[in-house]
Every structure is written in structure tokens, then in C-alpha cells.
């Protein structure tokens, strides 16, 4: 529905539109040199469950606003400027994979990822794509719809997702890099179910308390590493007992998901060393068994220096204050950077965080980000 709405809006102002076989939408304002590499302004239209209005969608609409302004002013850019509405950046909320839309377009999505299953209903990604009218065979054949040979630069406008810009009272941020990650999506602790009243402490094998021990130990380790200069985040996205638990029972089983991110993956590695040591220690002390399950993750992605410089010049020319900063979250810009396309990100100040229904963004700040993106797109490579 979101893609159809954006497509209709773009066609109403005369943009060329097409969709690729993995469902990404390309909306193009033609430039004077149609053979030149294009500039892409893009982001995603999907969100997480209970997400807000601005994560992803603001970047697509910023791109539309930028090219609509050019068109209204009678300005023809030197090269094509394409607004890209990307599919499934938030796929990780449903399928255990990253960036299938952008990696599918770039030809870097492994065919094996098509077999991953949606976590709530078990439907394989391949089948979900077909149900939407797309072609998983495009991925299996290793084909691509864009690449370094056809794209001069990729810029993604996005709400910050954190409190820094709002606290510093700066409307936009110029991103230096996107963090890598190490992730556990199916961690499990097995202890022993027993009576909550009749089992003294020394006879218990409490999976819930063992998992709590691990969470506290990693939080303490994160604090120590941060004090040593490591910029990172560590999140237990879930900690839960299973359906078999109930009142008057000691938890015999607990599950968890762990997400550790840093621009320098060495920081993630140091925390995982603590994880392995603490797991062995807690198993011995609590009489439980940990199963960490398969590990996933991603590589860090520095943003292109030339794109950062272009954004800095654009913001300065417009008199818009900008803070140079790293990203905390992952974004499609990482997939572009990893293929050699010059990529960058522009953050917009937001209130109330992200990935929740209360996401907020002042329209004045959004307008400033649109203006910077527009000037960047018009001037890049000239």
C-alpha cells in the first residue's frame, strides 16, 4: 500500500517509475545527460511492528520533495536523480536476514537467504516474495538492477533514532559510518522445572535467574568497555520464560535475543569474549545449559568521504547547522557502501526515539534536511 501511494504521487508530478524484480521502486527525474551515472535519494517504506511514522518513510518523501522542488523551479539536473523506495529494510523484524531489498537490487543477496523463514508463521522469504508478485529467481541468478557502474552516489535521509541531535539542538547530522553487529536470535537456557515452594535454593536449576545473571554481567562489561573508549551498544531484545512456565513453577527454560553493535567490530568481539566466559561460569554455578544458537551479524560500513564533504558544503551554503556523527542503527546505505557505491546519510533530529509508535519529527527540521539533500543531489559530481 505504501509503495502504491508513493508511486501514484511520483507519477502525478511526472516522474518516471519502475519496479525491479525484488520490489524496489525507482522514481526518476531525468537529467540532461541520461547516460551519466545517477544520484539516488532513497530509504525504505516498511517499519517494525508498532513502529512510528518516520523511520524510513521520511527518507523516501525527502527524496520526492527534493526532485519535486527542482521540477517546480524548472531546474533540470545534470544527471538523472532517482528516488528509491526500498523493500524490507526492516526484514530483520520478520525474517532473520538483513537488507533483502537493497542487496537484492545490488546483486549481493545470497540465494540461501531466500530460504529463511518468517519468524511468526514460518513462510520462506522466497514464497513471501512470490506472493507479492516478485521474482526470487532474480536473486538466485545473481542478477542486479543497479550497481557502481550506474550509480554516482546514494544518499539516505533518516531520522536519527537517538537523542543526540535533539539534546544538542542541531537539526541535522552528517553520518560518518554505520555499525557492524554480532547477533544471537535464538539463544536458550535449559534448567529444570520444579516446585517454587518446595525446592530450596541450593537444589534449583533456575533458567530465568541464570539468564538474568548473563544480562547483568554483559551490561557491566559494556559499561567497563565504554569507559575504555569503546563506542558500542548491547541489547537483550528479548528475555523470556517459555510457555511451559507458570505460577508455582521454577523456570526450567528461558530464551533470549542479543544484539551487539559497534562501528569497530573489535568492540563487539571483546563483549562476546565476556559472553563466552560468563556462560561457562553461570552453567557451572547454576547447573543450567546455554545454547547460543546460530550467530548472525553484519560488517561496519564507513560512509564515503566525498559524500560527507558534499553534504557539509550543502549545509554550510544553506546556513543549516549540522553535526558530524556515527549512526547507531543499520541502514540500506551500508549495502550500497559495501558494493563500492559512494554512500552517505543525513540524519534528521527526532523526538521520542525510534521503532515505537511515538516517533516524532518537526516539519521545519525535515524541510532543512530536504534542502540539504536537494542541493547535494543537484551539485554532486559537477
Amino acid at each position: 500500500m505504501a509503495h502504491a501511494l508513493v508511486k501514484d504521487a511520483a507519477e502525478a508530478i511526472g516522474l518516471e517509475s519502475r519496479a525491479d524484480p525484488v520490489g524496489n521502486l525507482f522514481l526518476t527525474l531525468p537529467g540532461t545527460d541520461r547516460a551519466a551515472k545517477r544520484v539516488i535519494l532513497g530509504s525504505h517504506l516498511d517499519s517494525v511492528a508498532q513502529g512510528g511514522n518516520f523511520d524510513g518513510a521520511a527518507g523516501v518523501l525527502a527524496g520526492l520533495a527534493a526532485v519535486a522542488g527542482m521540477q517546480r523551479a524548472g531546474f533540470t539536473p545534470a544527471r538523472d536523480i532517482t528516488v528509491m523506495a526500498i523493500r524490507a529494510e526492516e526484514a530483520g523484524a520478520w525474517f532473520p536476514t538483513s537488507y533483502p531489498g537493497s542487496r537484492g537490487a545490488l546483486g549481493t543477496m545470497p540465494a540461501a537467504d531466500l530460504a529463511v523463514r518468517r519468524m511468526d508463521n514460518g513462510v520462506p522469504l522466497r514464497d513471501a516474495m512470490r506472493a507479492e508478485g516478485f521474482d526470487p529467481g532474480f536473486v538466485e541468478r545473481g542478477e542486479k538492477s543497479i550497481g557502481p557502474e550506474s550509480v554516482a552516489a546514494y544518499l539516505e535521509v533518516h531520522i536519527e533514532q537517538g537523542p543526540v541531535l535533539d539534546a544538542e539542538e542541531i537539526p541535522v547530522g552528517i553520518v560518518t559510518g554505520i555499525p557492524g553487529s554480532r547477533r544471537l536470535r535464538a539463544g536458550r537456557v535449559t534448567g529444570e522445572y520444579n516446585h517454587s515452594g518446595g525446592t530450596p535454593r541450593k537444589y534449583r536449576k533456575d533458567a530465568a535467574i541464570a539468564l538474568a545473571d548473563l544480562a547483568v554481567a554483559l551490561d557491566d562489561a559494556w559499561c567497563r568497555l565504554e569507559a575504555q573508549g569503546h563506542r558500542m551498544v548491547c541489547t537483550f531484545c528479548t528475555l523470556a520464560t517459555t510457555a511451559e512456565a507458570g505460577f508455582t513453577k521454577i523456570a526450567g527454560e528461558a530464551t533470549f535475543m542479543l544484539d551487539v553493535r559497534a562501528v569497530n567490530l573489535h568492540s563487539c568481539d571483546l563483549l562476546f569474549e565476556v559472553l563466552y566466559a560468563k556462560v561457562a561460569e553461570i552453567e557451572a554455578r547454576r547447573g543450567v545449559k546455554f545454547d547460543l544458537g546460530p550467530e548472525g551479524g553484519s560488517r561496519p560500513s564507513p560512509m564515503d568521504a566525498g559524500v560527507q564533504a558534499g553534504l557539509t558544503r550543502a549545509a554550510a551554503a544553506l546556513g543549516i547547522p549540522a553535526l558530524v556523527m556515527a549512526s547507531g542503527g543499520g541502514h540500506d546505505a551500508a549495502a550500497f557502501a559495501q558494493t563500492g557505491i559512494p554512500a552517505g546519510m543525513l540524519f534528521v533530529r527526532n523526538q521520542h526515539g525510534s521503532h515505537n509508535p511515538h516517533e516524532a519529527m518537526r516539519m521545519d527540521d525535515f524541510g532543512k534536511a530536504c534542502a540539504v539533500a536537494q542541493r547535494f543531489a543537484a551539485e554532486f559530481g559537477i
Side-chain angles (χ1 to χ4, degrees):
M1 291 172 65
H3 279 248
L5 185 66
V6 167
K7 181 175 183 287
D8 288 347
E11 289 178 347
I13 61 172
L15 300 186
E16 298 175 357
S17 69
R18 71 176 180 88
D20 70 10
V22 293
N24 300 297
L25 183 62
F26 298 88
L27 310 162
T28 298
L29 176 66
T32 53
D33 183 358
R34 302 296 317 262
K37 294 183 180 183
R38 69 186 58 212
V39 170
I40 294 180
L41 305 176
S43 194
H44 57 98
L45 289 175
D46 63 313
S47 185
V48 299
Q50 297 299 310
N53 289 334
F54 304 110
D55 178 351
V60 177
L61 298 188
L64 280 181
V67 297
M70 291 179 185
Q71 200 173 46
R72 190 176 302 118
F75 174 80
T76 301
R79 63 180 80 235
D80 287 4
I81 299 177
T82 295
V83 180
M84 184 177 175
I86 299 171
R87 288 273 172 179
E89 191 271 349
E90 299 289 5
W94 314 103
F95 296 92
T97 186
S98 299
Y99 315 133
S102 50
R103 290 193 302 153
L106 293 159
T108 58
M109 180 180 172
D113 282 10
L114 295 169
V116 301
R117 294 181 178 273
R118 183 166 159 146
M119 290 181 283
D120 58 349
N121 62 19
V123 172
L125 179 56
R126 176 185 290 105
D127 294 352
M129 291 173 68
R130 285 200 187 101
E132 292 294 325
F134 306 128
D135 179 18
F138 185 80
V139 174
E140 291 170 330
R141 295 187 297 271
E143 298 180 46
K144 63 181 179 179
S145 51
I146 51 174
E149 69 286 345
S150 61
V151 180
Y154 170 83
L155 173 64
E156 183 167 357
V157 176
H158 204 284
I159 59 171
E160 180 202 344
Q161 301 183 283
V164 176
L165 291 172
D166 201 47
E168 298 291 333
E169 299 185 346
I170 297 174
V172 299
I174 296 170
V175 176
T176 57
I178 294 171
S181 64
R182 293 185 66 176
R183 292 170 167 173
L184 303 175
R185 296 175 181 268
R188 187 172 296 274
V189 190
T190 304
E192 183 177 272
Y193 288 104
N194 221 321
H195 194 285
S196 63
T199 312
R201 187 175 186 278
K202 67 179 180 178
Y203 300 118
R204 294 183 176 217
K205 298 178 180 180
D206 191 325
I209 295 298
L211 180 52
D213 279 350
L214 181 64
V216 171
L218 289 193
D219 188 63
D220 287 345
W222 175 19
C223 184
R224 291 194 301 273
L225 288 168
E226 201 168 55
Q228 295 166 16
H230 293 273
R231 298 190 62 178
M232 61 191 301
V233 291
C234 171
T235 309
F236 277 86
C237 304
T238 64
L239 296 100
T241 52
T242 62
E244 288 76 14
F247 200 70
T248 75
K249 279 188 178 182
I250 298 164
E253 191 174 9
T255 62
F256 64 96
M257 295 182 179
L258 177 66
D259 182 4
V260 181
R261 307 187 194 193
V263 173
N264 183 348
L265 268 186
H266 177 59
S267 300
C268 298
D269 296 340
L270 290 175
L271 196 65
F272 263 67
E273 288 179 15
V274 175
L275 168 72
Y276 299 139
K278 289 296 179 181
V279 160
E281 175 193 312
I282 295 166
E283 285 180 334
R285 180 160 47 87
R286 296 279 183 188
V288 300
K289 183 68 178 176
F290 280 82
D291 177 4
L292 300 181
E295 181 180 333
S298 59
R299 292 184 289 134
S301 298
M303 295 292 93
D304 181 77
V307 173
Q308 292 182 59
L311 291 170
T312 300
R313 288 192 299 270
L318 294 165
I320 296 172
L323 179 69
V324 176
M325 62 189 301
S327 173
H331 302 279
D332 285 302
F336 283 82
Q338 288 167 12
T339 66
I341 292 173
M345 292 196 70
L346 189 66
F347 277 168
V348 187
R349 169 170 48 182
N350 96 91
Q351 297 74 43
H352 312 313
S354 181
H355 284 199
N356 70 72
H358 307 295
E359 287 176 359
M361 179 185 68
R362 300 185 185 100
M363 288 300 113
D364 184 55
D365 291 339
F366 179 64
K368 288 181 171 67
C370 291
V372 173
Q374 183 187 66
R375 192 175 187 103
F376 167 85
E379 295 183 348
F380 187 80
I382 297 175

